[in-house]
Amino acid sequence: MSTKKIATLTASGTKRFATPTASRTKRFTTLIAAVCLVAGLAGCGGSNGSKNDTANSTPTTDSGNTNSGNAQAPATTDNQGDAKADNQPAAAANKKLEISTIQGTWASPLPDPNGNGAKMIDEKFNIDLKSQFVPYDEYGNKLPVVMAAGDLPDMIGMEGVDANFVKWAKQGAFLPLNDYIDKYEAIKSIPKNVWDAVTVDGKIYGIPNYFPSKYGKKPIIRKDWLDNLGLSMPTTYDELEKVAIAFTNDDPDKNGKKDTLGLGLAKSIVYGAWMGAGWDSGWYNKNDKGQLIPGNISDGFKQQVTVLHDLYKAGAISKDWAVTKSTDVRKDFFAGKIGIFYEQPYDISETRFKQLKEANPTAELAVIPPFVQDDGQQGFTGLPGYYELHSLNAKLKNDPDKIDRILSIINYFMTFIPTDQRNDQNADYDWQNGGVGKGYTMQNGVAIGIDGASSEMPTTYFGVRYWAPTDEDTQPATVLQDPFTKSFVQSAVDLLKNTKTYLDPVNRIHSDLMFANISELDQGIADHQTRMIVGQEPISDWDKMVKEYLSKGGQAIIDQVNQLLDENGIVGEWK
């Protein structure tokens, strides 16, 4: 029977959490593109320049795990991970309640609403759970129909904050949660910058799921190729260009053939060559009025596009990149054909890493540290700190027992268990994952989910993940089996824990203009930049491109975004 790791905190097939995309907006469809580093999931990828593939914009699962495979059952409400089998909400002793839910999922096949995991939840929490799962590929069309019908379930899941979430919150569809959350230890530990994302007009309308902000897609390099050619890790764009061209021309894999490329690039400028917050598509740079602006019209992004133009001219990126899918570029990287690409050290597929090592026994990977910016800062843009959220039906306002029952269960599932306690010796962990031998097995001290067993796992049915006290507490390397993958992940974590992370403030506000117009504007920008990279449009036309963007609604978006930031006292910050 095939298995999969469940000890990682996954995003249940997150649609995109990888790198900053060219349309780094407030809606999770793009953001999520960033997370969807998910390797084995249809519709997932990673990126730095598209709304379908992002690396530092939104979280992503790479392993194809479902919520049931996240193995995120909390132990105790004191966040210490003690194995207490009776750790359950006091509300479970009250009268039996029917609780209905609807949520999207990347799981295939869909979990059985009447599976054993659901029955275990019913018994433990004294409820009658009515679950509805919808594939995320269909959820964007399905949920508005459900909302329009008016007969909402008690709990509504969403992939992220978008225009619909804000609209429905303002229309009164969701229950404001401000007066409830302080009762629940795990829930109230969510930091303010994440609460801001689900806050509309001062009211909290959703409980977000954790996803680490530091561990999105990062630029990685074939360290063994550097060593083979006697080159050092690049620290500037000039050095990056030289390395990428050498990787193309100087036989870095020592096979006697000219069959390698310096840098992997895909259509819509997915990934690209962003080497820090000042060069990606997040809202870091400012215009001459002191306003924050989207990164893809900044001078920093212009520098990145210039580098990509030079590399294209030198033959160091594929001549067909503008029509190549990011998944195909990733495939070439892990086949040993590309020297610089992007990967995340969190919730990843070990299969790809093993394939690279088997075909290239001397392969060694490393994250390229962020370059020092002109303003002296040095660090990557972080992810929003969450992926997926759950809102409660506003009609529950007059049913305090049901509100408490739902929030108690969410709090239970959210309570953090340290990675070294995620095993069959921890009664809560064992229960939430369906029991050893049913939902998972133990291999070399690591919990491994059993393929096809999602309906055995209570974790599947509420879709809630642990809220880690810090990103470092996730310890992603500890749940890996393959030595090569484990080594890369640990080295990446060691680097990133001492690297600054920029928290994009735009993830914390809701601009109607941005929701409505940014995708079209970003596509226009990406089209211009694609032509600049391949030499069909001069880079000297950059200012002309920006002027067009601003005149078509970009300036109105910038004005509204900055006004909202000022009104809410929110600024971009490093941590």
Side-chain angles (χ1 to χ4, degrees), residues 345 364-367 477 484-497:
E364 184 179 353
L365 301 177
V367 171
F484 179 57
T485 315
K486 192 181 188 79
S487 175
F488 162 71
V489 169
Q490 189 59 58
S491 66
V493 169
D494 289 342
L495 170 71
L496 295 174
K497 71 182 179 182

Side-chain angles (χ1 to χ4, degrees), residues 507-566:
N507 293 326
R508 302 169 61 182
I509 52 96
H510 312 116
S511 164
D512 294 336
L513 289 176
M514 185 167 67
F515 282 142
N517 303 306
I518 198 71
S519 293
E520 182 177 352
L521 286 169
D522 281 350
Q523 185 57 57
I525 286 289
D527 290 344
H528 279 294
Q529 292 168 350
T530 296
R531 291 193 291 270
M532 289 178 182
I533 291 170
V534 301
Q536 295 177 359
E537 185 174 329
I539 297 178
S540 59
D541 277 356
W542 186 272
D543 290 344
K544 178 180 177 182
M545 174 197 72
V546 173
K547 184 177 180 180
E548 175 186 297
Y549 175 94
L550 297 176
S551 67
K552 288 185 175 181
Q555 185 60 57
I557 291 174
I558 291 169
D559 290 342
Q560 186 175 81
V561 163
N562 281 270
Q563 179 182 348
L564 289 169
L565 292 173
D566 290 343

Side-chain angles (χ1 to χ4, degrees), residues 86-95 124-126 404-405 408-409:
D86 62 346
N87 174 32
Q88 58 185 352
N94 299 336
K95 63 182 180 180
K124 187 176 186 70
F125 300 115
N126 195 22
D404 180 63
R405 192 76 57 89
S408 294
I409 296 172

Side-chain angles (χ1 to χ4, degrees), residues 245-441:
I245 292 172
F247 279 0
T248 304
N249 297 327
D250 298 345
D251 191 21
D253 57 359
K254 300 302 181 184
N255 68 351
K257 302 176 183 178
K258 192 174 185 300
D259 57 357
T260 56
L261 286 174
L263 182 142
L265 185 65
K267 63 180 181 179
S268 298
I269 319 180
V270 170
Y271 300 125
W274 49 271
M275 294 295 155
W279 297 286
D280 70 32
S281 54
W283 290 62
Y284 178 82
N285 295 282
K286 294 182 179 180
N287 60 19
D288 55 9
K289 300 177 183 178
Q291 294 176 305
L292 282 175
I293 59 173
N296 58 351
I297 64 168
S298 70
D299 288 343
F301 210 89
K302 179 182 179 181
Q303 184 176 4
Q304 180 191 172
V305 169
T306 302
V307 170
L308 295 174
H309 167 80
D310 293 345
L311 292 179
Y312 179 83
K313 187 176 181 180
I317 58 178
S318 170
K319 61 180 175 37
D320 297 321
W321 73 268
V323 293
T324 302
K325 296 178 181 178
S326 61
T327 51
D328 290 333
V329 180
R330 182 180 62 197
K331 189 180 301 182
D332 284 345
F333 176 81
F334 282 100
K337 299 177 181 179
I338 293 173
I340 301 170
F341 192 55
Y342 291 77
E343 188 52 273
Q344 64 184 36
Y346 186 82
D347 190 28
I348 56 178
S349 167
E350 294 185 78
T351 300
R352 289 198 296 270
F353 285 82
K354 288 191 287 187
Q355 290 173 342
L356 174 62
K357 192 66 171 178
E358 289 169 359
N360 305 266
T362 62
E364 184 179 353
L365 301 177
V367 171
I368 302 175
F371 297 167
V372 178
Q373 301 171 180
D374 290 342
D375 61 3
Q377 292 290 357
Q378 184 178 16
F380 295 114
T381 304
L383 301 178
Y386 79 104
Y387 171 70
E388 299 180 316
L389 60 93
H390 295 91
S391 297
L392 270 57
N393 189 336
K395 293 180 180 178
L396 295 179
K397 180 179 180 180
N398 298 320
D399 194 343
D401 287 345
K402 186 175 285 191
I403 294 172
D404 180 63
R405 192 76 57 89
I406 293 172
L407 293 180
S408 294
I409 296 172
I410 289 175
N411 187 76
Y412 172 82
F413 281 119
M414 189 181 288
T415 305
F416 186 74
I417 288 182
T419 56
D420 62 357
Q421 296 181 36
R422 298 178 194 179
N423 53 53
D424 56 338
Q425 300 303 303
N426 186 299
D428 285 316
Y429 182 87
D430 181 69
W431 177 84
Q432 276 214 278
N433 291 285
V436 67
K438 296 180 180 179
Y440 71 101
T441 61

Side-chain angles (χ1 to χ4, degrees), residues 75-355:
T76 68
T77 54
D78 62 4
N79 279 2
Q80 297 304 308
D82 297 330
K84 297 179 182 178
D86 62 346
N87 174 32
Q88 58 185 352
N94 299 336
K95 63 182 180 180
K96 189 168 188 174
L97 299 175
E98 179 180 302
I99 295 175
S100 56
T101 71
I102 184 170
Q103 57 190 305
T105 180
W106 291 107
S108 180
L110 295 178
D112 180 358
N114 300 309
N116 190 54
K119 295 174 182 177
M120 292 169 69
I121 287 179
D122 287 350
E123 180 179 358
K124 187 176 186 70
F125 300 115
N126 195 22
I127 65 174
D128 181 11
L129 182 63
K130 304 293 185 183
S131 300
Q132 182 179 0
F133 294 98
V134 181
Y136 265 128
D137 287 337
E138 304 171 16
Y139 200 51
N141 294 323
K142 172 72 173 180
L143 188 56
V145 174
V146 173
M147 299 296 293
D151 187 19
L152 299 182
D154 298 314
M155 192 168 84
I156 303 100
M158 296 186 68
E159 207 174 8
V161 172
D162 59 11
N164 277 333
F165 172 86
V166 175
K167 177 182 70 176
W168 294 330
K170 289 183 175 181
Q171 290 175 345
F174 303 142
L175 179 74
L177 300 171
N178 306 57
D179 295 337
Y180 302 99
I181 57 180
D182 280 349
K183 289 177 57 180
Y184 310 95
E185 289 298 318
I187 294 175
K188 76 177 184 180
S189 70
I190 295 172
K192 185 180 185 302
N193 68 290
V194 179
W195 280 130
D196 286 344
V198 294
T199 299
V200 178
D201 297 333
K203 297 179 180 178
I204 296 172
Y205 286 106
I207 298 176
N209 271 346
Y210 172 85
F211 196 92
S213 61
K214 289 185 178 181
Y215 298 151
K217 293 283 193 182
K218 298 293 182 289
I220 63 174
I221 193 167
R222 285 290 297 272
K223 177 66 166 55
D224 57 311
W225 286 11
L226 286 175
D227 295 341
N228 287 344
L229 299 178
L231 299 171
S232 300
M233 181 72 74
T235 61
T236 67
Y237 275 111
D238 285 343
E239 293 175 3
L240 182 74
E241 280 195 37
K242 292 176 183 176
V243 165
I245 292 172
F247 279 0
T248 304
N249 297 327
D250 298 345
D251 191 21
D253 57 359
K254 300 302 181 184
N255 68 351
K257 302 176 183 178
K258 192 174 185 300
D259 57 357
T260 56
L261 286 174
L263 182 142
L265 185 65
K267 63 180 181 179
S268 298
I269 319 180
V270 170
Y271 300 125
W274 49 271
M275 294 295 155
W279 297 286
D280 70 32
S281 54
W283 290 62
Y284 178 82
N285 295 282
K286 294 182 179 180
N287 60 19
D288 55 9
K289 300 177 183 178
Q291 294 176 305
L292 282 175
I293 59 173
N296 58 351
I297 64 168
S298 70
D299 288 343
F301 210 89
K302 179 182 179 181
Q303 184 176 4
Q304 180 191 172
V305 169
T306 302
V307 170
L308 295 174
H309 167 80
D310 293 345
L311 292 179
Y312 179 83
K313 187 176 181 180
I317 58 178
S318 170
K319 61 180 175 37
D320 297 321
W321 73 268
V323 293
T324 302
K325 296 178 181 178
S326 61
T327 51
D328 290 333
V329 180
R330 182 180 62 197
K331 189 180 301 182
D332 284 345
F333 176 81
F334 282 100
K337 299 177 181 179
I338 293 173
I340 301 170
F341 192 55
Y342 291 77
E343 188 52 273
Q344 64 184 36
Y346 186 82
D347 190 28
I348 56 178
S349 167
E350 294 185 78
T351 300
R352 289 198 296 270
F353 285 82
K354 288 191 287 187
Q355 290 173 342

